């Protein structure tokens, strides 16, 4: 049996996913794990650990990131430059003040990605914004499971046409017999 069945250009095409972190009721770790899954491409049927088949993720509202317990005061991030006495620590609350919630989310997602040569490429597809505005509004194709075209929800019957207009090829729709 052929190993290339289903591995078409359309299967490897990258879509843009949108997540509003400020209104999402899930805590930091749950959001980060779902973002890491999309960045790796594990939600696609063609997923392979050695290939980079993931999608783009646009996360807005990172300044309103939700954590459980006392993590904002107790969790520490460490840096070290391999010189004696250079170990430095920073609490999550201090990191929010200094760099914002986007950096905290990026570190959480980075820790959930595999530690290999694809990690930096996958993290580059994660676009983080503190507020609600972002320049990728026209790129977003998927938001809460619905297909969008130029930032506007596509009608249910126009999904194939919307995918074609966003630069992706036509999906073979199941034929209905009348």
């Amino acid at each position: 049996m052929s190993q290339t069945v289903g591995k078409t250009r359309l299967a490897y095409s990258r879509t843009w996913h949108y997540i509003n972190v400020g209104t999402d009721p899930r805590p930091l770790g749950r959001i980060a794990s779902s973002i890491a899954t999309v960045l790796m491409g594990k939600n696609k049927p063609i997923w392979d650990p050695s290939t980079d088949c993931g999608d783009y993720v646009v996360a807005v509202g990172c300044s309103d990131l939700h954590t459980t317990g006392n993590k904002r005061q107790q969790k520490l991030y460490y840096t070290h430059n391999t010189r004696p006495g250079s170990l430095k620590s920073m609490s999550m609350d201090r990191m929010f003040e200094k760099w914002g919630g986007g950096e905290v989310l990026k570190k959480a997602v980075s820790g959930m990605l595999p530690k290999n040569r694809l990690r930096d490429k996958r993290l580059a597809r994660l676009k983080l914004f503190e507020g609600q505005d972002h320049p990728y509004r026209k790129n977003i194709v998927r938001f809460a499971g619905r297909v969008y075209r130029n930032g506007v929800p596509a009608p249910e019957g126009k999904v194939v046409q919307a995918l074609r207009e966003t630069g992706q090829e036509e999906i073979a729709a199941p034929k209905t017999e009348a």
Side-chain angles (χ1 to χ4, degrees), residues 48-171:
D48 181 39
S50 63
T51 59
D52 193 16
C53 59
D55 295 334
Y56 287 89
V57 176
V58 177
V60 298
C62 293
S63 60
D64 300 327
L65 194 61
H66 169 66
T67 58
T68 58
N70 292 328
K71 288 184 186 73
R72 285 188 73 134
Q73 290 79 29
Q74 293 177 351
K75 179 160 178 56
L76 297 175
Y77 295 96
Y78 296 99
T79 57
H80 198 282
N81 67 1
T82 69
R83 302 283 300 180
S86 67
L87 178 66
K88 295 181 182 175
S89 63
M90 180 183 295
S91 69
M92 185 186 286
D93 203 24
R94 174 80 175 111
M95 189 171 280
F96 262 96
E97 292 172 10
K98 191 170 183 179
W99 289 305
E103 186 66 25
V104 173
L105 183 60
K106 186 175 183 178
K107 282 190 173 287
V109 171
S110 174
M112 294 183 184
L113 290 174
K115 283 67 174 176
N116 58 19
R117 62 183 176 83
L118 298 174
R119 185 186 210 180
D120 292 334
K121 292 178 185 177
R122 289 172 174 160
L123 272 178
R125 288 196 306 269
L126 176 61
K127 311 297 182 186
L128 302 165
F129 299 96
E130 297 295 317
Q132 299 297 321
D133 295 332
H134 60 89
Y136 303 107
R137 197 164 308 281
K138 289 193 175 188
N139 296 357
I140 293 175
V141 175
R142 300 227 171 142
F143 173 73
R146 292 200 56 197
V147 175
Y148 281 62
R149 182 181 66 219
N150 295 330
V152 179
E156 293 298 326
K158 303 283 184 177
V159 172
V160 173
Q161 182 181 358
L163 288 173
R164 189 180 313 128
E165 289 177 3
T166 57
Q168 299 175 2
E169 291 182 356
E170 187 173 315
I171 295 176

